[in-house]
Every structure is written in structure tokens, then in C-alpha cells.
Amino acid sequence: MSGLRALPVLLLFSLQLAVASEPHWVASWGASAQARWDDSFILPVGVPASFEQQSVRDVVRLSVGGKRLRIVLSNRYGATPLQVGEMRVALAGDGAALMGRSRAVTFGGSANASAAPGAVLVSDPVDLAAGALARLAITTYYPAPTPVSTFHWGAQQTPYLVRGNATAAADLPAAVRFPGRAFLTAVLVEAPAATRSVVVLGDSITDGNGSSPDRDRRWTDVLAQRLAPSGVGVVNAGISGARLLGERMGANALARFDQDVLARPGVASVIVMMGINDIGWPGSPFAPGDAAVSAEQVIEAYRQLIARARAHKLRIVGATLLPFEGALAGTPYEGHYSPAKEAVRQRVNRWIVGSGQFDAVFDADAVLRDPARPSRMRADYDSGDHLHPGDAGYRALAKALDLGQLMGKKRVRH
């Protein structure tokens, strides 16, 4: 009888082991969605106002791989339904060329689909095996007039735009390029049970401004290379101009934490590397009428992000703010830096390092600052604008991050 009583317990344990060992969906690539801004802002959008009877080919590099994948589009800021006529995906070759046969991407079994205003559109699983760090070409045809209201700004990854339905075209020699992403927001892969991802929530430094375009040289790209052998993916949730508290180039961090971090499947850790725009923007051409932001306001935003990460059992790593003396000096955007703003940055960094509130700390400031003048970036790591690192600086950042602290093998003292 005792053996019979034990049978349900053993059966339950076996089922739990089976479920735990099953493959699951993990975020392998991402681009944070932004609302299109109007012409009153100092920076141009640079992305077409709409598509009609046109195809867009996005080339993305995965972090972790899998045997199947899903494509995610976002109509978060759209006022009308997003209509997709057809989509295909293939391994990417050079430029816009495909490497091998493309696969049809369906939505509920159909080649065409619609996403309501504010909604996301998740594809059916696509049987396309792609290894870690594989490059994909995702081509989407938009048959009807489609306002580009939800996009991702920046020239680090530039799509290809052509007339007509070119989803199956092997190459796009007549394509034009534009700086940003339209609607494409994530690629998920079906990966082994132990596979997890890290989201980096940040601003233009995470988005890779100053790195070589279309060369995968952002610091998150280098981090993905380091983590790939361990089965850990990296999702870049950087938005140029992003702030913890302010709006304009994307929603504030507290508002977008759900969509850019918590909604990503398979995420185990989040790195927060933002706050420099909260400090630098007020009084500059980006936000000439905004009041100065205090260190206490920035710290309170961090506390909120920490609380929300903990509520969802995510490990949260705080990155110190990079040196920015002379940032954007001599450009139309001058006014980003001042000694008073530097004092705020220093107070924020002392709190990140010394408070013990984050699960771990990444002292990015210490990696890139000039030892002879700590308020500015090392010249060999500087892209030239004294705000964003170049390729060498981004590589140094990624190489300096302690992977044990990132994934929870080490803890800082609280």
C-alpha cells in the first residue's frame, strides 16, 4: 500500500522534470518601440512617413539560437490597424542578400494579418534552425497605406526598402536604406530549457550610437558573443534619448519597463544603464524648458525599477553613468554638460555603487573614464562627441562586465 501511495508523488515529480526539460521560447533579439515625434523636435525622424505596396527587409543578429523562431511586430503607437500582406524569413548573407531558401511566416495559419492599434502581432512558429549569433533577413510586405507610427530610431541597423512584394527576392539591388526599424520589435527562438536572456535597458549608449553601423559593434553585441557559449541571450532595449523620467524619444523607463523587459519571454536578468539624459537634457536644445533633475529623482526611479524587477523575480544590475565632460560641444546640441550636471552624475554613481540596492553593480564609469580627468571619457574609447563610446569603448565595456554577477553566481553585499 505504501508503494501505491507513493506512486502519485513520483508521477508528479516525473511530470515536473519533464516540463522543466522541455524547450521554451526565449527572447533572442529586440528593438524597443517608440512613438513618432513631430517636426518641432530638434532631431529629425528620418524614417519614411508611411509604406504602401512596399517591402522592408530587416537584417538582425540573434544572440541565442534555436530550431524554431517567432517574429513579433508592434503597433503600440498606431491609430489604425497594422496590415501585413506577407512576411518571409531566411538566414542572411551579405547586405540584403539571402543565404538559402526563405520560409513563409504565418499568423494563425494565414500569410496576411492585422494588429489592432496598441497591439503586438506574434507569428506562428517558423521551422528555421538558426544558431547562436546567426543573422536573419526578415522581409515584410505592406500592401495598404501604412503610417509608420511605431518605430525604432537610429542608424546602427539600417533596413532595406523596395517597391512591390519582394519578400521572396534573393537580393534587393534597387533598395534604399533608412535609419531605424519600423514595427519589428522582437525575435523569439525555441531553445533548450536552461536557456535564458538578459535585457539591457538603456539609452543611446546601449543603442550603440557612435559604433560602426551594420557591423554589430554595440556593447550588447559584444556581450552577446561572450554569453552565447553559455546559452544566455542578450536583448538590446536601448532607445536613443531615453530617460528614466522624461518623454520625447520613447516612453520613460518606468512606463516601458513592462513591454521592454517583463514581456520578453525567458528573461532572467536586466541591466539598467540610463539616467545621463535625465541629467543632461534639461536646459539643452533637447529640453530647453525642462527643470534640472536632482540625484534624488534619478535614484527614486532606480528604486522603482528595482522593486518591479524583484516582484517578477528578475535579477537587476545597476550600471554607473559614463563620464560626459564636453558632451556634444561645438554641435547644435551643445549644453548637455555642465559642472552642476557632473555633480549630479557623481552623486548618482556613488549611490549605485555604495547603496547595495541593486543585486549587482557594473561600474561602467570606471571602465571608460580618463584616469587623469575622471569627468571625461578616455580619448581612445571616445567616438568623438565625448558622450558616446566608439567601437573600442563599447568592446571594453562588454569585456569588463562580470558574467558571474550578471547571472547570479555572485552577489554584492546588501
Side-chain angles (χ1 to χ4, degrees):
M1 288 294 292
S2 60
L4 291 176
R5 292 192 192 99
L7 184 59
V9 177
L10 291 172
L11 180 59
L12 177 61
F13 181 68
S14 298
L15 289 173
Q16 288 174 335
L17 286 177
V19 170
S21 63
E22 290 179 355
H24 67 150
W25 292 100
V26 177
S28 181
W29 177 90
S32 297
Q34 299 170 251
R36 192 182 190 96
W37 55 82
D38 59 36
D39 293 339
S40 65
F41 189 52
I42 192 169
L43 290 175
V45 174
V47 171
S50 65
F51 303 136
E52 183 178 2
Q53 296 183 13
Q54 291 172 299
S55 298
V56 177
R57 178 164 293 173
D58 290 276
V59 177
V60 307
R61 193 185 75 164
L62 300 178
S63 52
V64 288
K67 294 183 178 179
R68 300 196 298 171
L69 55 86
R70 293 180 186 264
I71 312 297
V72 184
L73 302 179
S74 174
N75 193 27
R76 182 175 181 83
Y77 300 105
T80 59
L82 171 63
Q83 304 287 340
V84 173
E86 187 175 358
M87 178 186 287
R88 297 186 71 88
V89 61
L91 296 176
D94 294 331
L98 305 184
M99 188 172 68
R101 183 175 63 88
S102 66
R103 310 294 175 89
V105 179
T106 59
F107 303 85
S110 175
N112 54 70
S114 176
V120 297
L121 186 61
V122 183
S123 79
D124 300 330
V126 180
D127 290 323
L128 177 62
L133 308 178
R135 296 169 71 248
L136 300 180
I138 302 164
T139 314
T140 311
Y141 175 57
Y142 299 98
T146 306
V148 183
S149 52
T150 302
F151 81 118
H152 180 87
W153 187 84
Q156 268 49 62
Q157 295 177 302
T158 49
Y160 301 80
L161 177 66
V162 294
R163 297 292 304 172
N165 185 345
T167 53
D171 203 352
L172 304 175
V176 297
R177 311 291 296 273
F178 62 88
R181 300 286 189 192
F183 307 116
L184 181 64
T185 191
V187 178
L188 317 179
V189 298
E190 191 176 47
T195 306
R196 292 292 183 269
S197 285
V198 175
V199 173
V200 185
L201 185 69
D203 48 38
S204 56
I205 293 165
T206 293
D207 209 27
N209 285 30
S211 68
S212 298
D214 297 310
R215 300 292 298 276
D216 299 318
R217 291 183 178 176
R218 300 170 297 177
W219 82 271
T220 53
D221 296 321
V222 182
L223 181 60
Q225 293 170 6
R226 291 188 66 197
L227 287 170
S230 302
V232 177
V234 177
V235 177
N236 187 317
I239 291 179
S240 292
R243 290 181 280 175
L244 292 163
L245 300 167
E247 305 285 326
R248 193 62 176 193
M249 295 182 74
N252 68 75
L254 300 181
R256 69 183 180 98
F257 194 74
D258 284 43
Q259 71 179 63
D260 286 349
V261 180
L262 302 182
R264 305 295 194 191
V267 172
S269 301
V270 55
I271 303 170
V272 177
M273 182 187 275
M274 61 190 310
I276 199 66
N277 290 326
D278 295 80
I279 298 168
W281 271 33
S284 79
F286 292 106
D290 285 12
V293 171
S294 68
E296 290 69 29
Q297 288 174 291
V298 173
I299 290 167
E300 182 53 33
Y302 290 149
R303 290 185 187 276
Q304 285 293 310
L305 294 176
I306 291 166
R308 293 174 69 186
R310 296 254 169 81
H312 289 267
K313 302 187 185 323
L314 294 185
R315 185 170 179 82
I316 184 165
V317 178
T320 53
L321 304 181
L322 300 185
F324 74 130
E325 182 183 346
L328 307 179
T331 76
Y333 317 113
E334 189 163 4
H336 204 72
Y337 175 85
S338 72
K341 293 176 180 180
E342 171 64 12
V344 175
R345 183 185 76 93
Q346 293 287 355
R347 287 198 295 274
V348 168
N349 280 353
R350 284 195 295 271
W351 183 87
I352 292 172
V353 172
S355 69
Q357 295 301 300
F358 287 102
D359 291 314
V361 170
F362 175 34
D363 196 352
D365 173 47
V367 178
L368 297 192
R369 68 187 177 218
D370 185 342
R373 192 167 179 174
S375 58
R376 70 181 177 188
M377 197 180 303
R378 276 179 47 169
D380 54 336
Y381 288 160
D382 195 337
S383 68
D385 66 6
H386 311 306
L387 179 62
H388 304 99
D391 290 349
Y394 284 126
R395 177 166 290 278
L397 272 182
K399 294 292 187 181
L401 182 59
D402 186 319
L403 301 186
Q405 285 195 352
L406 175 61
M407 298 311 297
K409 296 178 182 178
K410 300 178 184 178
R411 296 187 65 85
V412 295
R413 290 179 294 175
H414 285 65

